[in-house]
Amino acid sequence: MVSSCLEQVPLQAEIRTFDVAIIGAGIVGLASARELILRHPSLAFGVLEKEKEVALHQSGHNSGVIHSGIYYTPGSLKAKLCVEGSLLCYEYCDQRGIPYKQCGKLIVAVEQEEIPRLKALYERGLQNSVRGLRLITSKEIQAKEPYCRGLMALDSPYTGIVNYRQVALAYAADFEAAGGTVLTGFEVKDMEMAKESPAAGMEGMKYPVVVRNSKGEEIRCRHLVCCAGLYSDRLSQVSGCSPEPRIVPFRGDYLVLKPEKCYLVRGNIYPVPDPRFPFLGIHFTPRMDGSVWLGPNAVLAFKREGYRFCDFSIQDFSDAVAFSGLWKLVFRNLSYGMGEMYRACFLTAQVKQLQKFVPEVTVNDILRGPAGVRAQALDSDGNLVDDFVFDGGTGDIGSRILHVRNAPSPAATSSLAIAKMIASEVEQRFEL
């Protein structure tokens, strides 16, 4: 197993040095580290991860869908990276022998008023060069999904599913095989420029960035790349960056179909997105293990890595409720938010939503399932930050740090394409 070689390295005896250190061993951080070391094999790269294993949070708590790029604004970075990233993801899984299923996706209109939006989504997908898209009739819906009911659907045959944690572990293995170092149990708390004395010599000046963890241990590096996901805003402010965009955590709770009812769903079944609301709505997602997840909802999480309803952090909660951007988002979407809270508490309310698509699903067919927490970037006006945000900070240290402050969904699908973009940004900024 890859995780067995990701040892917690004692740093007190000798300070480790790297040409480039990457903070965060999620799927984006690992993909970026892998891309950088493949481009620059003569340099020393290290990945710093606060947990004992890699890819434990967003990368290990997601739907597992390989998205095709239908939803995103034509010409946008998200659209380009998703379409490119999905192709790269399939190629990589084939090369590394990682199992996946190209089970397809139907975006289903169940009300007449949804059909114009569905057709507009089809046109958007065509502009984004999404492969194999077609609009299908209610009879064709039932040929693909016998238990699904709808007036019309958008069929995306190249949408798939995979275990993204397995993909992330493969990235880590590639990185280490190329000579990279993964330091787990290294929770970054501080970063600054070294205050060197003449006695430190040239070696000390070669690695001017000091990164310390919560135990007081440190590493030195020439340059630093921060891919910290749920903590990207806090770490960026340490180096003098703007407080915005802020990360507000939203928890998504899934339901799970009982094993004997999984025959009801073959592939991904999604609703037509409503542009008035910030999230996609609940959907049916088959999993690599044969289970079927239903959901998720979207409710404010009281802890940035809180996967249970009772998980609470006073700092995380205080930061969220003190941010004006959150309240502006809440008031603009008050009815939607109240509905999400209601559905989170009462299974019958969620089942009613699901029955619009698969009428045979009943309360007796489902169980409460896992949850994920999404690092949602918000500005002070309450707008969801929908694109990538790079930042450096101020002073001497600002020229040596690249903060990836927002790598929005579908970051897992797009991870290899995002890694190419981040590696190119690193090369340009740091003149590697």
Side-chain angles (χ1 to χ4, degrees):
M1 289 292 292
V2 174
S3 58
S4 65
C5 61
L6 306 180
E7 298 177 356
Q8 297 189 55
V9 180
L11 302 177
Q12 290 145 326
E14 179 184 351
I15 295 177
R16 302 292 294 266
T17 58
F18 302 103
D19 292 296
V20 180
I22 298 95
I23 300 174
I27 199 166
V28 170
L30 290 169
S32 301
R34 174 185 176 274
E35 179 69 21
L36 281 164
I37 203 168
L38 292 178
R39 292 191 189 188
H40 302 278
S42 62
L43 298 182
F45 292 90
V47 172
L48 313 177
E49 168 57 42
K50 70 183 178 67
E51 303 292 356
K52 294 180 180 179
E53 298 179 47
V54 306
L56 286 185
H57 293 295
Q58 291 186 103
S59 304
H61 290 80
N62 56 64
S63 65
V65 176
I66 303 174
H67 293 280
S68 57
I70 298 168
Y71 299 106
Y72 317 116
T73 304
S76 68
L77 203 52
K78 281 183 75 170
K80 175 181 177 295
L81 292 172
C82 185
V83 172
E84 178 188 352
S86 65
L87 290 171
L88 292 173
C89 183
Y90 284 127
E91 288 175 9
Y92 182 78
C93 289
D94 285 335
Q95 291 166 7
R96 296 290 267 108
I98 297 171
Y100 63 85
K101 294 178 185 175
Q102 229 167 42
C103 56
K105 174 166 76 174
L106 296 182
I107 302 174
V108 181
V110 294
E111 306 285 351
Q112 198 68 38
E113 65 185 28
E114 294 175 331
I115 290 178
R117 299 206 306 268
L118 187 71
K119 290 180 177 178
L121 206 57
Y122 170 65
E123 294 298 329
R124 174 172 283 197
L126 293 181
Q127 291 179 62
N128 288 342
S129 302
V130 176
R131 298 180 295 159
L133 282 186
R134 64 190 188 105
L135 290 168
I136 63 175
T137 64
S138 58
K139 186 177 288 187
E140 291 172 300
I141 291 172
Q142 284 194 261
K144 282 184 165 290
E145 292 284 354
Y147 297 92
C148 181
R149 301 292 181 268
L151 303 176
M152 183 182 287
L154 180 54
D155 179 17
S156 173
Y158 292 102
T159 297
I161 55 173
V162 73
N163 183 332
Y164 278 119
R165 184 154 193 268
Q166 193 172 356
V167 174
L169 288 170
Y171 292 167
D174 292 348
F175 175 68
E176 291 193 310
T181 302
V182 178
L183 303 182
T184 56
F186 194 100
E187 183 177 8
V188 173
K189 287 296 184 183
D190 187 32
M191 56 192 81
E192 64 178 3
M193 294 296 287
K195 299 176 178 64
E196 299 292 358
S197 65
M202 291 301 293
E203 185 68 15
M205 297 305 293
K206 184 180 177 182
Y207 303 101
V209 180
V210 181
V211 182
R212 294 187 185 88
N213 69 7
S214 53
K215 301 172 188 174
E217 301 162 338
E218 65 182 52
I219 64 103
R220 297 284 188 96
C221 58
R222 290 171 55 211
H223 304 287
L224 190 62
V225 180
C226 187
C227 299
L230 283 155
Y231 292 93
S232 59
D233 57 340
R234 288 183 185 166
L235 284 181
S236 63
Q237 288 179 67
V238 172
S239 60
C241 294
S242 164
E244 290 185 35
R246 291 278 289 276
I247 296 298
V248 176
F250 282 88
R251 192 182 72 252
D253 301 304
Y254 283 93
L255 305 174
V256 179
L257 269 181
K258 289 181 178 178
E260 63 269 22
K261 291 292 184 176
C262 288
Y263 68 87
L264 292 172
V265 178
R266 292 180 176 178
N268 295 281
I269 302 173
Y270 276 60
V272 179
D274 190 329
R276 294 174 299 167
F277 303 130
F279 300 109
L280 282 177
I282 61 174
H283 39 270
F284 298 75
T285 305
R287 301 281 294 177
M288 289 301 297
D289 62 5
S291 63
V292 176
W293 287 10
L294 315 171
N297 58 7
V299 295
L300 180 67
F302 300 141
K303 185 179 180 181
R304 292 199 179 198
E305 291 163 354
Y307 303 107
R308 298 170 301 173
F309 180 79
C310 58
D311 287 342
F312 182 82
S313 161
I314 186 65
Q315 182 183 5
D316 294 347
F317 179 72
S318 300
D319 283 355
V321 299
F323 180 47
S324 62
L326 173 63
W327 291 107
K328 291 174 183 176
L329 175 70
V330 167
F331 289 133
R332 275 205 304 270
N333 299 279
L334 191 59
S335 62
Y336 178 84
M338 294 297 289
E340 287 292 277
M341 291 295 291
Y342 180 79
R343 286 187 287 273
C345 296
F346 298 100
L347 291 183
T348 52
Q350 290 194 58
V351 169
K352 191 174 180 180
Q353 296 287 104
L354 295 166
Q355 286 174 335
K356 292 179 180 180
F357 304 93
V358 180
E360 283 82 355
V361 173
T362 70
V363 174
N364 295 326
D365 298 332
I366 60 175
L367 302 167
R368 289 198 181 273
V373 178
R374 175 176 181 161
Q376 182 60 61
L378 286 180
D379 65 21
S380 57
D381 292 324
N383 299 312
L384 306 186
V385 178
D386 208 33
D387 218 335
F388 295 84
V389 178
F390 291 140
D391 207 344
T394 58
D396 292 340
I397 197 168
S399 64
R400 291 185 173 271
I401 297 181
L402 173 65
H403 291 283
V404 181
R405 297 194 60 171
N406 191 41
S409 177
T413 296
S414 311
S415 57
L416 289 172
I418 292 171
K420 292 178 183 293
M421 181 183 71
I422 290 174
S424 295
E425 184 77 16
V426 168
E427 289 173 333
Q428 181 180 340
R429 287 202 182 206
F430 302 152
E431 300 179 353
L432 292 188

